[in-house]
Amino acid sequence: MKILDCTLRDGGYYTNWDFDNDLVKVYFESFNHLPIDFLEIGYKAFAENYYKGEFYYLPLFLIKKIKSISNKNLAILLNGKDLFESNIEDLLLPCVGLIDLVRVAIDPKDLNKSLTLLKRIKSLGFKVALNVMYMSKWKTMKSFLTDLPLVNETCDFFYMVDSYGSVYPEDVKEITQTVKSILSIPLGFHGHNNLEMALVNSLTALEYGVEIIDSTVTGMGRGAGNLKTELILTHLSSKGLLEFDFNYLSNLVDKFSQLQKLHNWGTNLPYMVSGSNSLPQKDVMEWITKRFYSLNSIVEALQNQKSNLLDKPRVERFKPENKFENVLLIGGGNSVQQHFEAIRSFVYTNKSSITIVHASSTNAYLFKDLDFIPQYFCLVGNEGHRLERVYDNSPFKGICILPPPPRKLGIYKPEIAKDKIFEIEQSTINHPINDTHTILAFEISSILEAKNVYLVGYDGYPKESITSKMHEMFIENQNIFNLVKNRFKLISLLPTLYDLKITSLYSLIK
Amino acid sequence: MKILDCTLRDGGYYTNWDFDNDLVKVYFESFNHLPIDFLEIGYKAFAENYYKGEFYYLPLFLIKKIKSISNKNLAILLNGKDLFESNIEDLLLPCVGLIDLVRVAIDPKDLNKSLTLLKRIKSLGFKVALNVMYMSKWKTMKSFLTDLPLVNETCDFFYMVDSYGSVYPEDVKEITQTVKSILSIPLGFHGHNNLEMALVNSLTALEYGVEIIDSTVTGMGRGAGNLKTELILTHLSSKGLLEFDFNYLSNLVDKFSQLQKLHNWGTNLPYMVSGSNSLPQKDVMEWITKRFYSLNSIVEALQNQKSNLLDKPRVERFKPENKFENVLLIGGGNSVQQHFEAIRSFVYTNKSSITIVHASSTNAYLFKDLDFIPQYFCLVGNEGHRLERVYDNSPFKGICILPPPPRKLGIYKPEIAKDKIFEIEQSTINHPINDTHTILAFEISSILEAKNVYLVGYDGYPKESITSKMHEMFIENQNIFNLVKNRFKLISLLPTLYDLKITSLYSLIK
C-alpha cells in the first residue's frame, strides 16, 4: 500500500494556498523521515480572478526549491474542467523531471472527454492518476460505468473520491468491488471526514484491494477535511506494519495544530449534516469560515437543500404600492441608540416622504412605537430570531423582506410576521453575495424608488477592538456602498469610519 | 435501539463537574425535544480529598431540580471500587423515585464481587446497568468469562466499555458475539474516539445486537472523548430512522462548542498513540491539559509505556562525592539575565561553599563560562532539547539529573551529556507529582546536603499577562516551597511574587 499526503494542496482552501515558510520547511523536513510515498504539493492552474497563493499556481522556482529539500515523490493536482489539449503543455512542460505524478480531478460525467487529455499528460512522461469525484453517485450513472474500462489504457491510478464525506464502509466495499471488476490498474481512495469515517473507509478500501490512499496532516482540507496522516501512521505503526520516529510526526502535527486554532478545520454539525445527506460542502465551508451565520441557520439551509426547497418561491413578491423619495437605512451600530432622539425628530420632520429600512434588527427596539411611517426589515441569517426577541409580545407592524431566490442559506421566518413576509424578485446589484443585510437593504430602497438613502448605525465598528470577521464585513459593506453610490445619494447622518458623504443629523433638524 | 447521553457525567472530567447554569438549562431543555432515551447526569460519590463539583456528588436538591425540568429517564454512574454493601444505601436512598437507571462501572477482575452489590441496588427499585471496562482484554480473562453468566440474574443492561479507545469494528463484532452467546439481557456499548472509531464501532455494535449506546454532545468526555451525540443523531436522521428538529440539536451543540474552545477535548496524536496501543488515557489527559509538556515528550512517554521501559533503571544513581552548604537555584525568570553580573559576583564570593542547580535551562546560557563550580541541571520534560540548543557545539561540563523512576513521562536525554546523566533514587518530598523542575531541584539540593537555597529567576511571572497554565505552575511552585521550607533556609535574592523570604542580592555582594 502507498500513502499520498496532500496537506498543502487540500489545506490551501483554508489559507488561500499560502503557508508560512517555517511551516513549509517543517513539512518537507519531517516527511523526509516518515514513510509516506507521495507528497501532493499543490494545484497547477491558469490565472483566476480571485487571489490564490503560491501552492495554487506552483511557479517553477517553488517546485525546484521543494525538489531540493524533499526526498519524496512529488505530485500535483489539476482541475479537469480547466484543461484543454491546447493548454496542457503550457501548464506541465515546466514540471517535467520535477513532478512524478500528475493527478486530474474530474466530474464523473466528464470521464470520456478527459481521456485524450490524460494520454497527452502521460506522453509527457508523468505518471497519471485520475481522481473521479462523487463516488456515491456512480452506481446510478450508466454511461460512466460503460466508459470506465477505457481508463485502463490511459492512467496509472484510478482514484475514488468521497466528495461529500458521505460513504460508509459497506459503500466503500461495494464500490471498490465494482470498480475492481472493471479496472486492472491500481486503485486509490480519497476520503473525507464529515462522519468521522475517513479512517475506517480507508482501511476498508485497502482491505478490498485499493493500493493508495490520501491523507493530510491534522486532516487539514476543504470543509470537514480528510483522513488524518497522523492517524493512519499511528494505526499502521501499532499494527506493526510501519516503523518511524514519532518525533518527526509530532513536530509536524504540532505545527499544523497551531494553524488549526486559527482556521478551525475539521468536522462539526453542519458538515455532518451535509455529509450524511450527500450535499456539497463548498457552501458550508463559506458559511462557517467567512460569515456571521449561526450553526442553526446553516443546518436549516442544509435541511432545505436536502428537501430541494431552494428554488420554490414560498412567499409573495415584494411589490409595494407606495414609493418613497427618502430611505432612512438603520445599521446595527451603537450610534443609533445614542442619537435616537435626534433620529426620531428627523423622521418626524420628513414623515411625508421617508420610510425606514432596518438592515439589522439590532436597533429595531428603539423604533417600535414609530408607527406613523412604514418600516421594512431585512430578513437574512438570524434576523428572524432577533426580531422575535425584539417584539416579544408586542404587535409587529413592519414588513419583512427576503433576499431573492434561490436562497441557499435557510432563513428563519418569525411567526409574528407570518403574513408580512415578501421576497425580492431578483438581484439588481451585481455583487457575489446577494443575501447580506446591506445588499438587501439597497434592493428594497431601489424598489421603493428612493433617491436619497440616509444612513445611521453604519459606524464602521469601534476602533478599540474588532474581530477579523468584523473587519471583513466592513470591507464588504464599503464595497457595496461603492457599487450603489451612483444609484442613490448616500449620506451618513452620523460619524462613520466608512468612506461615505456625511451631513450631520443635527444640521437637518430643528 | 436506545441512546444514553452522558455529557455531564463524562464531560465533567474537563470542568471538575461544574457547569454554567445557562449551559445546564440549554442541555436539559434541548434534550426534551430530542430522541434520546436516558440522560446520565453525573456520578454519585462519597467525599474525596480533591475538589469536584455538583455533578460529581449530585446532591438531592440538584437531582430534584433536574427532574423538574427534564422529561427524560435519568441515570447516574457509580464507581464500583468505592462501593460496599454497607454504604450503598447512604448513596442511593435519596435517589429513589428520581433516578431510573443506576450504572456501576467496574474493572473486569471485580466482576464476581460486584454481584451482591448489584442485587442490592436492584432491590431498591432501580434499573441496573453494569459497565465493565477494558473490553479489549476480556478474551484473555478466563475467570471473567466463566463468571459472566451470573450477570443475567442481577442486571438490566450489560455494557461493554472500550476504555482505551482501541477497538476496531471487527473487535466489536467478535466481542459482542461472544458476550451475546453468554448473556440474555440487553447489551450496551460505550465507545471512545481516540481513533475516530466511535461511530463505526457503535454502529457495528448495534448491527450485532447491542441495544443501547452512549454518546456525549461534541464528544465531550475524559481524554479523547466519546461518540458525538450530534453525529449519531444526524446519521440516524439521514437514514430515516429518527426524526427531530435540528434547531434544538444545533443550539445544544453551539453551547458545548464554545466550551470546547476552552478545554480542547477530542482526539489528537497522543490520544491516537495511547488508543492504538491500549494505554490508559488518564495520564495523557493530565499531561495535555495541565502541564507544559510538548506533544513530542508525551508521545515519547507513550512509546515508553508501550515498550514497558518505565521501571527499568537505565542510568546510574546520583551519589555526589562533594556536598555543598549553599545552593544557588536558578529558575527560568527574566530577572536572571537582568541581574546576571551581580549573580556572577555572588557566586564568585561564595565559590568554596556554593553550587548551582538549574531548575530550568532557560537561563543556562548565561552560566556556560562559570566552570569553576559544579552545575546541576534538572532533566525533566523538554529540558534535554533546550540544553542541546544552549550548548550547541560548546562543551558541556554540567551534570544532568533525572527524577526518580518510574518516570511515566519520557525524558529526552541529550547526546551532549550522555555520560553525565544520573537519576534520583527515590522521592523524599511528599508531593503528588515528582517530576516537576522545582521538586527535582530540591531533591538534588537535599542530596547535596544544602542548608541554604538561594533562589533567582523565580519571579512568579510578570503581572501584565499570564496564562492559566502559568498561574497553575505558580501555585504548584508555591506549594512546593511551603513543603520544603523547614528542610532548607529558602531565600530569594531577587524580587518575587512568591511568598518567600527575601534578602537582596545587592546586600550580599561588594
Side-chain angles (χ1 to χ4, degrees), chain A residues 170-279:
Chain A
E170 58 270 25
D171 307 316
V172 174
K173 176 183 164 186
E174 186 194 333
I175 300 165
T176 305
Q177 285 177 331
T178 303
V179 173
K180 217 172 159 55
S181 72
I182 299 173
L183 292 181
S184 55
I185 57 172
L187 304 186
F189 175 73
H190 179 97
H192 287 135
N193 208 32
N194 298 55
L195 304 174
E196 298 191 335
M197 287 285 161
L199 177 60
V200 73
N201 283 341
S202 300
L203 296 178
T204 305
L206 292 170
E207 187 184 344
Y208 288 94
V210 159
E211 294 177 40
I212 182 166
I213 56 171
D214 287 3
S215 65
T216 62
V217 182
T218 65
M220 185 183 196
R222 190 177 200 169
N226 305 83
L227 170 61
K228 297 179 174 76
T229 301
E230 64 273 26
L231 182 57
I232 183 71
L233 287 181
T234 302
H235 166 83
L236 293 169
S237 153
S238 77
K239 297 287 177 190
L241 299 171
L242 279 183
E243 270 195 25
F244 58 88
D245 183 343
F246 269 85
N247 280 319
Y248 292 106
L249 183 60
S250 45
N251 272 338
L252 176 64
V253 169
D254 234 2
K255 275 282 169 198
F256 281 89
S257 299
Q258 287 160 30
L259 190 60
Q260 192 174 18
K261 286 189 186 126
L262 199 63
H263 296 289
N264 290 310
W265 58 83
T267 197
N268 59 30
L269 183 56
Y271 289 126
M272 290 172 193
V273 173
S274 67
S276 68
N277 296 296
S278 289
L279 302 169

Side-chain angles (χ1 to χ4, degrees), chain A residues 376-396:
Chain A
Y376 298 94
F377 295 84
C378 295
L379 210 53
V380 296
N382 272 332
E383 293 301 326
H385 288 288
R386 201 177 255 168
L387 215 51
E388 275 185 339
R389 281 198 299 275
V390 169
Y391 278 85
D392 200 10
N393 286 318
S394 50
F396 178 73

Side-chain angles (χ1 to χ4, degrees), chain B residues 434 477 491:
Chain B
N434 71 2
N477 280 341
I491 301 146

Side-chain angles (χ1 to χ4, degrees), chain B residues 229-425:
Chain B
T229 301
E230 65 273 26
L231 182 57
I232 183 70
L233 287 182
T234 302
H235 166 83
L236 293 169
S237 154
S238 76
K239 298 284 176 192
L241 299 170
L242 279 183
E243 269 195 27
F244 58 88
D245 183 343
F246 270 86
N247 279 319
Y248 293 106
L249 183 60
S250 45
N251 271 339
L252 176 63
V253 169
D254 234 3
K255 275 281 170 200
F256 280 89
S257 299
Q258 287 160 30
L259 191 60
Q260 192 173 19
K261 286 190 185 124
L262 198 63
H263 296 290
N264 290 310
W265 57 84
T267 195
N268 58 30
L269 185 56
Y271 288 125
M272 291 172 194
V273 174
S274 67
S276 66
N277 296 296
S278 289
L279 303 168
Q281 43 193 352
K282 184 172 173 250
D283 292 338
V284 186
M285 182 168 161
E286 166 77 18
W287 295 332
I288 287 176
T289 58
K290 292 274 173 61
R291 305 185 60 73
F292 281 110
Y293 301 119
S294 71
L295 203 61
N296 242 343
S297 53
I298 297 171
V299 170
E300 199 189 339
L302 291 166
Q303 295 290 102
N304 286 348
Q305 286 194 4
K306 181 185 166 189
S307 324
N308 277 318
L309 288 176
L310 295 186
D311 279 298
K312 292 182 194 153
R314 282 166 296 170
V315 294
E316 277 184 58
R317 296 213 169 128
F318 177 47
K319 290 180 190 162
E321 283 169 25
N322 298 321
K323 311 290 172 175
F324 296 91
E325 191 180 341
N326 302 306
V327 159
L328 178 66
L329 176 50
I330 320 266
N334 290 332
S335 62
V336 175
Q337 188 190 2
Q338 194 187 327
H339 300 280
F340 182 66
E341 284 312 310
I343 294 171
R344 182 209 291 272
S345 167
F346 175 76
V347 171
Y348 200 82
T349 307
N350 296 281
K351 66 182 171 186
S352 61
S353 63
I354 203 165
T355 189
I356 290 176
V357 175
H358 293 274
S360 152
S361 307
T362 307
N363 289 310
Y365 71 99
L366 294 162
F367 295 82
K368 269 161 80 173
D369 303 328
L370 254 75
D371 52 8
F372 54 86
I373 58 160
Q375 298 190 35
Y376 298 93
F377 295 85
C378 296
L379 210 55
V380 297
N382 273 332
E383 292 300 327
H385 288 286
R386 200 176 256 169
L387 215 51
E388 276 186 336
R389 281 198 298 276
V390 169
Y391 277 85
D392 200 10
N393 286 318
S394 50
F396 178 74
K397 295 182 184 163
I399 293 159
C400 291
I401 310 292
L402 289 166
R407 291 179 291 272
K408 283 187 181 173
L409 193 68
I411 291 161
Y412 176 76
K413 295 180 206 69
E415 190 62 21
I416 54 165
K418 71 173 186 252
D419 50 356
K420 292 163 184 163
I421 303 177
F422 302 89
E423 69 178 18
I424 300 284
E425 186 169 353

